[in-house]
């Protein structure tokens, strides 16, 4: 009898309901604050919850109780909409002043085509005699299940692979950009987004392997497919929690309006003028770091230092990349690491913890400090301290 709450249906039902709560929270916040990333994430969760609901009601006995249910018409391939939504979500939080363009609707052309097709065959079948007494009509059986679903399986897999590739590329491009702009990047790295993309990729791979096994080697029933649905439900809940409670609005305000490049001196400038210009610029930057100790500001970014140097961001970035042969992040953090070493030599570790000293030197997180120190010294902070004491 429906509803049957059992060990198969109950875990999925609980997770799906929690996922739907975050859908409501995200969409409510979108309508209040008009942050489009909330809309994208809300729709991502809605689609994944929709897919889980179709399986959940099956485990609850829906298909046994309602033999003539027409739900099969609406089991749409969500991947063709989910993949573009994930891409646009990542783009919306890693792009300066992101705005949804009309051209972005083309990402959903295939999804809209699938929806129109499904409603069309449903409409046709409803007009046929005896439709109310059966589960699937003539077009659903002889067209959709016989041909279209097989064709879609060949389309959906490469479609999602392409979007996953573009999304990973977009994410890593963003990670490369922030080290050119910010001295402390921990809060901007979006590690949970990377986790989400990896988990989604694993679920996609799992689902693809499961479909191949189910279509080529053996019939997989509801219970064999339950594990994938449980995994997707857990991923949905994880993404909902992280996406709702992580403030990504500040990321949309990041200004990536120029691309750092190697400095170029026009050929007509003679060697003396070239040296004078380079030396003066380098002296200004060195003075800010060594005398004024700008690196002690944990929120220091390229724009702040450029204002202090009375340069454009492009000029400063070119000087750092060319004269010092470093990106902005490494350039600033080298000064912080040297300041940390100096404080250790002054026995500050007897008064403060290592993290406390690191914060005094401009680091704003333990994770960033440990990673940067290891990168620049090949030792952990503790190992370095012990080596100095010995």
């Amino acid at each position: 009898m429906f509803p049957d709450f059992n060990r198969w249906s109950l875990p999925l039902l609980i997770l799906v309901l929690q996922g739907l709560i975050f859908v409501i929270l995200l969409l409510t916040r979108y309508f209040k604050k008009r942050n489009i990333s909330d809309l994208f994430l809300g729709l991502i969760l809605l689609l994944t919850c929709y897919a889980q609901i179709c399986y959940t009601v099956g485990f609850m006995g829906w298909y046994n109780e309602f033999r003539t249910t027409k739900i099969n018409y609406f089991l749409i391939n969500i991947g063709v909409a989910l993949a573009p939504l994930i891409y646009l979500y990542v783009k919306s939080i890693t792009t300066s002043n992101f705005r949804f363009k009309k051209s972005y609707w083309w990402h959903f052309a295939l999804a809209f085509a699938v929806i129109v097709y499904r409603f069309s065959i449903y409409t046709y079948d409803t007009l046929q005699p005896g439709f109310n007494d059966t589960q699937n009509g003539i077009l659903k059986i002889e067209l959709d299940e016989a041909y279209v679903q097989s064709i879609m399986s060949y389309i959906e897999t490469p479609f999602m692979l392409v979007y996953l590739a573009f999304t990973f590329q977009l994410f890593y491009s963003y990670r490369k950009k922030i080290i050119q702009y910010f001295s402390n990047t921990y809060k901007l790295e979006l590690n949970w987004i990377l986790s989400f993309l990896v988990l989604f990729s694993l679920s996609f791979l799992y689902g693809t392997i499961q479909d191949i096994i189910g279509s080529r080697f053996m019939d997989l029933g509801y219970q064999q497919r339950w594990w994938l649905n449980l995994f997707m439900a857990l991923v949905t809940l994880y993404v909902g929690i992280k996406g709702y409670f992580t403030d990504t609005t500040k990321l949309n305000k990041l200004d990536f309006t120029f691309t750092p490049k190697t400095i170029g001196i026009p050929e007509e400038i003679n060697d003396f003028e070239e040296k004078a210009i380079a030396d003066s610029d380098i002296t200004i930057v060195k003075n800010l770091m060594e005398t004024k100790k700008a690196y002690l500001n944990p929120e220091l970014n390229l724009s702040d230092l450029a204002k202090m140097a009375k340069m454009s961001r492009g000029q400063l970035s070119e000087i750092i990349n060319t004269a010092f042969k470093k990106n902005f992040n490494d350039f600033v953090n080298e000064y912080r690491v040297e300041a940390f070493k100096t404080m250790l030599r002054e026995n500050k570790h007897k008064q403060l913890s290592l993290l406390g000293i690191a914060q005094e030197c401009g680091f704003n997180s333990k994770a960033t400090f440990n990673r940067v120190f290891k990168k620049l010294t090949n030792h952990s902070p503790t190992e370095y301290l012990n080596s100095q004491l010995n």
Side-chain angles (χ1 to χ4, degrees):
M1 296 291 292
F2 180 85
D4 179 15
F5 300 106
N6 53 61
R7 64 192 180 100
W8 304 104
S9 64
L10 197 56
L12 290 182
L13 180 62
I14 293 172
L15 291 170
V16 167
L17 290 176
Q18 290 177 323
L20 289 173
I21 289 172
F22 281 102
V23 170
I24 295 170
L25 291 173
L26 285 163
L27 294 182
T28 300
R29 191 166 70 181
Y30 165 71
F31 287 113
K32 286 182 178 179
K33 299 184 178 181
R34 294 293 171 178
N35 181 21
I36 197 166
S37 62
D38 284 337
L39 176 61
F40 287 143
L41 187 57
L43 293 175
I44 289 169
L45 298 185
L46 183 62
L47 283 178
T48 53
C49 286
Y50 169 77
Q52 303 312 310
I53 287 171
C54 294
Y55 272 90
T56 302
V57 296
F59 285 114
M60 293 173 69
W62 174 278
Y63 302 103
N64 293 329
E65 183 75 14
F66 306 102
R67 293 287 184 174
T68 61
T69 181
K70 304 302 185 291
I71 197 171
N72 286 344
Y73 285 88
F74 306 103
L75 298 180
I76 297 171
N77 307 76
I78 66 166
V80 295
L82 191 60
L85 278 172
I86 292 173
Y87 171 77
L88 289 174
Y89 174 65
V90 174
K91 189 176 183 67
S92 71
I93 61 176
T94 59
T95 304
S96 301
N97 301 311
F98 176 84
R99 296 289 183 273
F100 188 86
K101 301 176 183 178
K102 290 182 180 179
S103 59
Y104 291 162
W105 284 111
W106 286 106
H107 289 289
F108 304 100
L110 182 57
F112 287 133
V114 170
I115 292 171
V116 170
Y117 156 74
R118 282 298 182 94
F119 273 99
S120 297
I121 64 170
Y122 175 74
T123 301
Y124 178 87
D125 283 351
T126 58
L127 300 176
Q128 306 309 306
F131 180 69
N132 292 333
D133 300 323
T134 186
Q135 186 180 66
N136 299 315
I138 185 170
L139 285 185
K140 183 70 178 72
I141 296 173
E142 298 186 4
L143 174 63
D144 188 61
E145 295 185 358
Y147 300 105
V148 176
Q149 287 190 30
S150 296
I151 294 172
M152 282 302 300
S153 67
Y154 288 107
I155 294 175
E156 189 175 20
T157 298
F159 182 86
M160 294 183 71
L161 281 174
V162 168
Y163 269 96
L164 278 174
F166 279 127
T167 306
F168 273 106
Q169 182 184 44
L170 180 67
F171 178 76
Y172 281 111
S173 175
Y174 164 78
R175 292 279 284 261
K176 288 179 180 178
K177 282 182 179 179
I178 60 176
I179 64 173
Q180 296 283 6
Y181 288 79
F182 303 97
S183 59
N184 277 312
T185 61
Y186 180 72
K187 295 179 180 179
L188 304 172
E189 289 174 352
L190 300 178
N191 290 318
W192 78 272
I193 289 288
L194 179 59
S195 299
F196 163 49
L197 292 176
V198 170
L199 289 172
F200 179 77
S201 300
L202 288 175
S203 66
F204 166 68
L205 179 62
Y206 184 177
T208 301
I209 294 173
Q210 180 176 267
D211 289 341
I212 292 173
I213 293 174
S215 61
R216 301 284 179 86
F217 301 101
M218 59 183 291
D219 183 38
L220 295 179
Y222 259 67
Q223 293 181 1
Q224 286 80 19
R225 295 176 183 270
W226 179 83
W227 294 101
L228 174 60
N229 286 276
L230 179 66
F231 180 69
M232 278 301 297
L234 289 169
V235 172
T236 300
L237 184 60
Y238 167 77
V239 173
I241 293 172
K242 296 295 292 186
Y244 183 76
F245 290 107
T246 302
D247 180 16
T248 59
T249 56
K250 61 183 178 182
L251 302 180
N252 187 238
K253 297 175 184 177
L254 299 181
D255 189 3
F256 298 141
T257 54
F258 81 98
T259 301
K261 58 183 181 298
T262 302
I263 204 166
I265 304 295
E267 291 181 1
E268 60 270 17
I269 296 179
N270 60 44
D271 291 342
F272 176 78
E273 290 173 326
E274 176 182 332
K275 185 177 185 304
I277 292 171
D279 285 347
S280 63
D281 290 341
I282 292 170
T283 299
I284 290 172
V285 176
K286 277 187 172 181
N287 181 61
L288 287 172
M289 301 302 289
E290 296 175 3
T291 305
K292 297 188 177 181
K293 298 185 177 181
Y295 60 85
L296 294 180
N297 174 12
E299 302 302 324
L300 183 69
N301 57 52
L302 188 68
S303 295
D304 294 336
L305 193 60
K307 288 177 183 177
M308 295 171 69
K310 297 181 180 179
M311 300 177 182
S312 70
R313 292 179 306 154
Q315 288 175 312
L316 178 60
S317 180
E318 289 171 346
I319 291 167
I320 292 172
N321 289 350
T322 305
F324 296 96
K325 302 189 186 311
K326 298 178 181 69
N327 60 55
F328 179 76
N329 185 267
D330 286 343
F331 173 69
V332 175
N333 284 326
E334 272 198 4
Y335 279 97
R336 289 172 175 162
V337 168
E338 288 304 315
F340 178 85
K341 291 178 180 179
T342 300
M343 292 184 76
L344 288 186
R345 288 193 292 269
E346 295 171 353
N347 294 321
K348 294 293 184 181
H349 58 280
K350 295 180 179 179
Q351 304 165 14
L352 296 169
S353 66
L354 293 184
L355 179 58
I357 297 174
Q359 290 172 335
E360 289 285 318
C361 296
F363 289 101
N364 68 354
S365 77
K366 183 178 180 180
T368 298
F369 168 58
N370 288 334
R371 184 179 60 198
V372 169
F373 196 89
K374 182 78 172 179
K375 175 183 177 182
L376 297 179
T377 67
N378 293 320
H379 297 285
S380 70
T382 303
E383 289 171 346
Y384 182 83
L385 175 60
N386 291 334
S387 69
Q388 295 301 300
L389 292 175
N390 294 330

